[in-house]
Amino acid sequence: MYEKLLYNLDQGLNSCAIFLDLAKAFDSVNHEILLRKLNHYGVRGKALELFRSYLSGRSQFLKLDNVKSSLINIEFGVPQGSILGPLLFLIFINDLPDATKLYIKLFADDTVLCAQNSDILALEEEVNKELEKVFIWMASNQLTLNIKKSQFMIVTNKRNIPKLTIKLNNIPLVQCESYKYLGIHFDHKLSWSTHIQHVCNKISKACGALTKLRHCVPIQILIDVFNALINSYLRYGIIIWGSASATTLKSLEAIVNKAIRIMSFAPSGNINLSQIYKDFNLLKLSNIHALELGKFIYKEKLGYLPTSIGNYFPISSNFIDHNYGTRVSSSTIPSITNIVRRLKSSEKSVQFKCNVLWSNMQDSFKYLENVNIFKRQYKKFLISEQ
């Protein structure tokens, strides 16, 4: 989705991203509709009857203090906490993209749609028209949208654009400047300032824990806590938000350095912490970004990425290595690396960053046997270069 929005900016287009919130999505799946869809996708005969048996005969009751309600048969929903539950829901919602011309990405019940147009008013008209189709699909499949939590965001380089009215079932959606999608805070300027502030807040709390622990546990325990409470936030999604400007990242780098000072009892002030990072076998923020990009492009080269992601990153001539199989791209979005860039926007893209990284990477890393070996060797190299 981030690459899509960057590409639109690069083409001088206004984007409207719509984030839909499904109300109790897993609990709302109609069993008969699901079984019809399974039949449509080729699950028939005894296999279909097996699923019918799996879904039927379930009941529930409510207990309050010592009082129990009567049993009620469950006619909706997929069993949550089960292995089949998420898969059945994905099958149920799989045909939503066929209902609209909007660019759409689904991850379980988290749905984001996008439209683009150089004319902002034409964009408004198009989005409202397509959202009518989305609502019809939702109603036909007996799913309910949480209108209050569903929002839209305008991403554009233009100034003084008119206020848009985007409606779903004739109810206006709230326009937002940032939205948390799959744990990542998208902001309307794609600056990642909101997300980075969120990560700073999380790491600040972790610094408090490190301060209390450092006097009573060995250093390896502190490093384990650092990896669990800090490094996990730094790695998640850094492949996209790591392209933020140096100014935006400065506050995050400062608070990570604070954590390193706490662990090592290093004095405050302008001192070089590089050797401490090396001693702790930890990467600086910029190198975490480089490692995650490296792992991503290495997986892409070997065809290990999920198909929908791998096909989005077509292998250009300077990516091709005939020791690996090549993939024919089915992407409907042109590669940012293969277009004439109008703005600096595309230089923030994962495609562009990976292209530059791979071009500058030593050949010895490109021919390593598997992802785990690549990760260890490349991390070791990045630490030595800090």
Side-chain angles (χ1 to χ4, degrees):
M1 178 53 65
Y2 176 55
E3 300 283 292
K4 170 69 172 173
L5 294 172
L6 281 179
Y7 176 78
N8 289 345
L9 285 178
D10 216 54
Q11 297 297 296
L13 300 173
N14 309 300
S15 300
C16 179
I18 306 101
F19 301 92
L20 299 183
D21 186 273
L22 292 173
K24 297 183 179 179
F26 280 66
D27 295 328
S28 303
V29 173
N30 181 287
H31 292 170
E32 287 304 316
I33 296 177
L34 174 59
L35 290 169
R36 288 201 298 270
K37 292 190 178 188
L38 285 168
N39 181 73
H40 173 76
Y41 289 129
V43 180
R44 295 164 188 157
K46 290 186 177 180
L48 185 63
E49 291 307 309
L50 180 65
F51 278 103
R52 186 184 299 276
S53 174
Y54 175 74
L55 293 168
S56 63
R58 296 180 180 273
S59 57
Q60 65 184 19
F61 69 91
L62 176 67
K63 180 180 179 181
L64 181 61
D65 294 329
N66 294 320
V67 181
K68 296 181 181 180
S69 70
S70 57
L71 281 173
I72 298 176
N73 290 329
I74 301 175
E75 299 177 357
F76 293 85
V78 291
Q80 295 196 41
S82 65
I83 295 174
L84 284 177
L87 175 61
L88 291 175
F89 181 80
L90 292 177
I91 292 172
F92 188 83
I93 202 173
N94 187 59
D95 58 320
L96 172 56
D98 297 332
T100 175
K101 294 179 181 179
L102 295 174
Y103 178 80
I104 182 169
K105 287 297 173 187
L106 304 172
F107 190 91
D109 59 337
D110 287 299
T111 304
V112 58
L113 309 98
C114 182
Q116 58 283 324
N117 201 302
S118 57
D119 186 326
I120 194 73
L121 296 180
L123 176 64
E124 178 185 44
E125 181 180 355
E126 177 187 356
V127 169
N128 282 318
K129 181 179 178 181
E130 291 300 317
L131 284 181
E132 288 180 10
K133 300 176 185 178
V134 172
F135 180 77
I136 291 172
W137 184 92
M138 293 286 179
S140 301
N141 287 272
Q142 299 185 22
L143 291 176
T144 304
L145 280 169
N146 190 331
I147 303 292
K148 292 183 179 179
K149 291 186 178 180
S150 299
Q151 301 179 7
F152 75 96
M153 180 191 300
I154 301 298
V155 179
T156 181
N157 283 323
K158 298 178 181 177
R159 298 180 180 180
N160 302 320
I161 61 170
K163 184 176 178 60
L164 302 187
T165 301
I166 304 298
K167 295 182 178 180
L168 195 56
N169 192 26
N170 291 321
I171 301 174
L173 299 181
V174 174
Q175 182 174 350
C176 61
E177 293 190 349
S178 67
Y179 191 92
K180 185 179 181 181
Y181 178 66
L182 301 180
I184 302 290
H185 294 259
F186 279 77
D187 62 87
H188 71 293
K189 294 182 179 180
L190 300 183
S191 68
W192 301 113
S193 56
T194 305
H195 182 74
I196 288 170
Q197 184 57 52
H198 167 74
V199 176
C200 284
N201 293 340
K202 294 292 184 180
I203 294 178
S204 180
K205 295 177 182 178
C207 285
L210 288 172
T211 301
K212 294 178 181 179
L213 285 171
R214 66 176 180 168
H215 295 287
C216 51
V217 299
I219 186 60
Q220 187 54 52
I221 298 296
L222 291 178
I223 293 173
D224 290 343
V225 172
F226 179 94
N227 284 323
L229 301 184
I230 296 178
N231 215 20
S232 57
Y233 282 105
L234 297 179
R235 288 180 55 206
Y236 183 68
I238 196 173
I239 192 171
I240 53 174
W241 61 260
S243 62
S245 68
T247 304
T248 305
L249 290 169
K250 188 175 181 180
S251 60
L252 181 55
E253 291 173 338
I255 199 165
V256 174
N257 285 340
K258 177 183 177 181
I260 296 296
R261 292 176 193 275
I262 292 171
M263 295 163 60
S264 62
F265 292 88
S268 58
N270 188 20
I271 64 171
N272 192 337
L273 298 174
S274 297
Q275 188 57 49
I276 300 176
Y277 274 96
K278 290 180 181 180
D279 293 342
F280 290 171
N281 198 35
L282 296 173
L283 292 170
K284 292 183 178 180
L285 185 63
S286 59
N287 284 334
I288 294 175
H289 186 211
L291 178 61
E292 294 303 316
L293 285 173
K295 287 162 53 181
F296 187 88
I297 188 58
Y298 182 87
K299 290 178 182 178
E300 197 279 336
K301 291 284 289 182
L302 294 181
Y304 289 165
L305 293 178
T307 303
S308 60
I309 299 177
N311 283 345
Y312 176 74
F313 291 85
I315 304 174
S316 57
S317 58
N318 56 342
F319 273 45
I320 292 177
D321 185 322
H322 294 289
N323 287 331
Y324 303 128
T326 59
R327 182 192 298 107
V328 177
S329 172
S330 62
S331 172
T332 57
I333 306 173
S335 169
I336 290 180
T337 58
N338 293 333
I339 62 175
V340 178
R341 296 192 306 279
R342 295 161 48 110
L343 304 169
K344 290 285 187 179
S345 304
S346 58
E347 294 186 5
K348 298 179 180 179
S349 75
V350 176
Q351 292 186 58
F352 183 85
K353 294 286 187 182
C354 283
N355 195 358
V356 172
L357 183 71
W358 193 258
S359 298
N360 294 329
M361 187 181 292
Q362 296 177 12
D363 288 340
S364 58
F365 294 116
K366 300 178 183 180
Y367 298 98
L368 292 172
E369 297 175 25
N370 57 55
V371 175
N372 289 330
I373 294 175
F374 174 87
K375 177 183 175 181
R376 288 197 300 270
Q377 295 294 328
Y378 195 48
K379 178 181 178 181
K380 184 178 179 181
F381 166 76
L382 290 172
I383 288 177
S384 68
E385 293 293 305
Q386 291 184 142

